[in-house]
Amino acid sequence: MSTNKSIVTTYCVLAAIFFAACAYAQLNDPDPALWILGYVFGGCVLNTFVVLYQDGGKNEDGDGGVRRVIRVLMYMFVFINTSVIVYIAVALLPRIDFNLPGKELAWSVLEFEEGREIAGLAILLLHVLKLLGYLSEDLGGGGKSSNTKGGAYGYAATVAMVSAIIGAVYLWVYYQPEMNARYQTEHCDGAFGDNRAAAEQAEVSREL
């Protein structure tokens, strides 16, 4: 199954923008280092590796050794990411009211900081698994049917990433202010909160 190189590159660039924004948001977090490292490495650095080494998936010569090292790094990242998700989820589960209706239950999870952390890590995990799939393909090779299927999956992944970016912007613009008002969670705005506060202060100054 093959995916067109331009699709892979487009996906990697969009994903890097998204996860770079996630990393930026962690700058004023109480424990920013590990979160920034995770988002930058898993969401940006690994993307660069895939773009540079996406050729010759079945080739044992040339850069095959480099590709194997990259895959090992990805598998290690997947293991660590999954372990952190499980660790956070175990601590969060007792605090969730499972008697709520489905939609309210989903939103209630996101109202916990741990829930938002799990959501971010889950998106990052799915992203790295997708990169593993790209790196394991013989990109640009295979028959017409193989190329068609690979291209379809590649387009789907790109659409999913665009949807994630749009969804994140929507939640930030419309949901985060409401949550701040209800739970005094301005600290969860991250570094973007500084920009929002500055913009609001500038607006007040203009009105005066």
Side-chain angles (χ1 to χ4, degrees):
M1 187 177 296
S2 172
T3 306
N4 186 281
K5 297 175 187 177
S6 61
I7 298 175
V8 176
T9 301
T10 300
Y11 171 82
C12 288
V13 170
L14 289 173
I17 293 172
F18 176 75
F19 289 114
C22 292
Y24 176 74
Q26 303 298 320
L27 286 177
N28 64 357
D29 192 83
D31 53 345
L34 291 178
W35 293 104
I36 292 175
L37 177 63
Y39 282 125
V40 170
F41 182 76
C44 302
V45 175
L46 291 181
N47 300 25
T48 304
F49 289 157
V50 170
V51 171
L52 292 177
Y53 296 100
Q54 60 182 284
D55 289 324
K58 309 298 182 183
N59 194 344
E60 295 299 323
D61 301 321
D63 59 10
V66 176
R67 292 166 60 86
R68 286 193 292 273
V69 171
I70 296 172
R71 280 197 291 269
V72 170
L73 290 174
M74 288 183 177
Y75 282 122
M76 291 175 61
F77 187 88
V78 167
F79 174 77
I80 294 172
N81 189 313
T82 304
S83 300
V84 174
I85 289 176
V86 172
Y87 176 80
I88 297 175
V90 169
L92 176 62
L93 284 175
R95 303 166 59 189
I96 298 175
D97 182 3
F98 288 97
N99 295 318
L100 293 172
K103 184 177 180 179
E104 293 182 20
L105 176 61
W107 283 113
S108 70
V109 172
L110 293 176
E111 288 175 353
F112 291 102
E113 184 172 0
E114 295 87 346
R116 295 188 296 276
E117 290 174 346
I118 290 174
L121 290 174
I123 295 173
L124 187 58
L125 175 61
L126 293 174
H127 164 69
V128 176
L129 289 174
K130 185 59 186 175
L131 293 184
L132 266 169
Y134 282 146
L135 202 62
S136 299
E137 294 176 8
D138 186 12
L139 298 175
K144 182 177 180 180
S145 175
S146 176
N147 288 334
T148 300
K149 291 180 181 178
Y153 285 125
Y155 280 122
T158 303
V159 170
M161 181 52 62
V162 172
S163 300
I165 295 174
I166 294 174
V169 172
Y170 172 81
L171 290 174
W172 173 257
V173 173
Y174 294 102
Y175 178 71
Q176 185 71 12
E178 177 184 342
M179 190 179 70
N180 289 345
R182 291 168 60 186
Y183 299 102
Q184 291 75 52
T185 54
E186 287 79 3
H187 65 283
C188 294
D189 287 353
F192 289 108
D194 298 337
N195 298 334
R196 173 181 287 173
E200 291 176 351
Q201 183 60 42
E203 181 66 25
V204 170
S205 298
R206 284 196 296 271
E207 291 177 356
L208 295 178

